[in-house]
Amino acid sequence: MLTGMHSGTPERLQLGAGVFLKDFDFDGATGAADLVARAEEAVRTGRGLLGATRGGGSFICRPLLRSLEADGVRTPFVGSTVIDGWDVRLTGTLLEITPENFARALVCADVTATGGVTVVQAREALTEADYLPRICWIGSTSRGAVLIELTGVLNVKGAAFTFRDRGEGELPFEFRAHAVEPGQDTAPFRIVFFS
């Protein structure tokens, strides 16, 4: 029987659901153990943690491709396809329902607290403050860790809060990456492997 499985396969697997963090500083991480220790500290302190999730998540990265067209050309040919940009997203479903998570889900909202009352109020216009500078997902691999970082992030799904009897509320998110500056010549994401 033919199969793609081989003796090295168990060493090349991504394992578990991972964790979503915002504004997580990993630039000085020296390897997987250091990265994991930093992520565990963020989870323990809640610093940058989006919250517990259910159902894992997904990374979607689609180049926006266009074929050059000219009279007489019937089929795209090698070199005739250009990239007009990137559609890059991290998705998941949060279980932790906080004012900040609701504000992010609403895309553009203000959070005000007075005494024991916190109000989340959606706005009609986006501001630069509605974009998260960066968000990342960190997951374990058989031999280390992998991190996916998006920059200039905005939740484009909106709020779709689901609640049920004998269950927990769920708040899906779909964070889309944006270029930080006009004319940026790199895609607004990085994938980093740590061993």
Side-chain angles (χ1 to χ4, degrees):
M1 175 190 322
L2 271 172
T3 178
M5 184 78 103
H6 56 90
S7 61
T9 298
E11 297 178 4
R12 299 176 178 170
L13 302 176
Q14 189 279 310
L15 307 166
V19 63
F20 292 92
L21 299 168
K22 64 181 173 68
D23 299 328
F24 178 67
D25 183 15
F26 66 91
D27 290 329
T30 58
D34 186 26
L35 177 73
V36 169
R38 291 173 186 225
E40 287 172 344
E41 174 69 14
V43 170
R44 187 171 45 261
T45 63
R47 189 172 14 95
L49 179 66
L50 286 184
T53 58
R54 175 173 287 149
S58 64
F59 169 62
I60 302 147
C61 179
R62 294 184 187 100
L64 305 175
L65 300 174
R66 176 173 51 90
S67 293
L68 302 174
E69 295 183 18
D71 292 341
V73 175
R74 303 287 184 249
T75 304
F77 56 92
V78 174
S80 70
T81 301
V82 296
I83 296 175
D84 283 336
W86 291 88
D87 184 12
V88 182
R89 299 165 192 248
L90 271 175
T91 69
T93 302
L94 285 169
L95 289 178
E96 295 189 29
I97 310 304
T98 66
E100 292 74 21
N101 284 346
F102 253 110
R104 274 194 236 36
L106 291 167
V107 184
C108 56
D110 296 314
V111 178
T112 55
T114 307
V117 177
T118 302
V119 176
V120 179
Q121 179 63 59
R123 284 183 269 105
E124 292 289 329
L126 284 168
T127 67
E128 191 171 319
D130 293 317
Y131 293 84
L132 292 171
R134 61 189 196 174
I135 191 169
C136 67
W137 168 84
I138 302 171
S140 298
T141 66
S142 300
R143 302 187 92 193
V146 62
L147 178 145
I148 301 172
E149 177 193 54
L150 277 59
T151 58
V153 181
L154 188 67
N155 177 42
V156 295
K157 188 175 185 88
F161 182 47
T162 304
F163 38 89
R164 64 185 60 82
D165 189 25
R166 298 184 189 176
E168 296 76 35
E170 297 179 344
L171 189 60
F173 60 85
E174 186 172 320
F175 289 114
R176 182 176 187 200
H178 295 77
V180 179
E181 297 178 13
Q184 182 175 319
D185 64 354
T186 57
F189 72 96
R190 295 190 286 177
I191 303 170
V192 185
F193 289 85
F194 295 85
S195 54

